[in-house]
Amino acid sequence: MIDAQRLLPQSKHDVDSIPFIIKAGYPAIAPILDELLDWTADSNWPVARPLADFLVTLGTPLIDPISRILKGTDGAQKYHCITLLIRRLPIDVLGGLEEDLRQLADHPDEDDKREGIDIEASEVLLHFERHHLP
């Protein structure tokens, strides 16, 4: 059994941790999904993009951890979550985030407006509506 906590990056420069995370795969990394998403909170961090590249392949298991980010208070993290992860998720997975995205698009707080979250969420919803079969 893998101690998933040991897989977490040690710093924003720890790209060497990514192959071990990928090799462990899902469901071994399930207990640390929230913490892994924290390492994608800023797309300028070297670890963020390669980690996001892997995480988007997980699909449905990302819905709840991403939902927690979207319901949170960190506008910058929401922005990077949308641009690094949400925009790349399959339509069926986006469906699980539709309510959270609609809330951000229609009722953003001041921090969300400042970060452009309402615009980003609206664009993702438009993409979802175009490609979602009723």
Side-chain angles (χ1 to χ4, degrees):
M1 183 175 203
I2 286 179
D3 177 9
Q5 291 292 320
R6 295 183 72 196
L7 295 170
L8 289 169
Q10 299 302 302
S11 76
K12 63 185 177 183
H13 300 284
D14 187 9
V15 293
D16 292 338
S17 65
I18 307 300
F20 296 102
I21 294 165
I22 293 169
K23 184 177 181 190
Y26 192 87
I29 63 166
I32 60 168
L33 275 179
D34 287 289
E35 290 140 305
L36 288 173
L37 283 169
D38 286 344
W39 288 104
T40 66
D42 186 332
S43 59
N44 296 306
W45 296 345
V47 74
R49 288 188 191 277
L51 186 54
D53 290 345
F54 167 65
L55 292 174
V56 296
T57 68
L58 300 181
T60 305
L62 287 181
I63 292 174
D64 289 339
I66 286 177
S67 179
R68 286 189 282 277
I69 290 171
L70 297 179
K71 290 176 181 170
T73 58
D74 187 337
Q77 185 178 19
K78 292 178 197 179
Y79 175 84
H80 291 285
C81 184
I82 292 172
T83 59
L84 276 179
L85 297 159
I86 295 173
R87 285 186 173 271
R88 299 168 55 199
L89 292 172
I91 293 299
D92 61 318
V93 178
L94 282 178
L97 297 167
E98 182 181 11
E99 185 177 317
D100 295 327
L101 290 165
R102 195 156 309 287
Q103 177 67 27
L104 290 169
D106 297 342
H107 307 288
D109 64 24
E110 289 306 312
D111 189 41
D112 293 337
K113 286 181 190 174
R114 192 171 30 260
E115 294 290 340
I117 304 302
D118 51 336
I119 295 165
E120 293 293 330
S122 294
E123 289 176 2
V124 171
L125 286 167
L126 184 59
H127 169 75
F128 174 74
E129 290 163 0
R130 282 188 192 141
H131 295 91
H132 177 67
L133 297 175

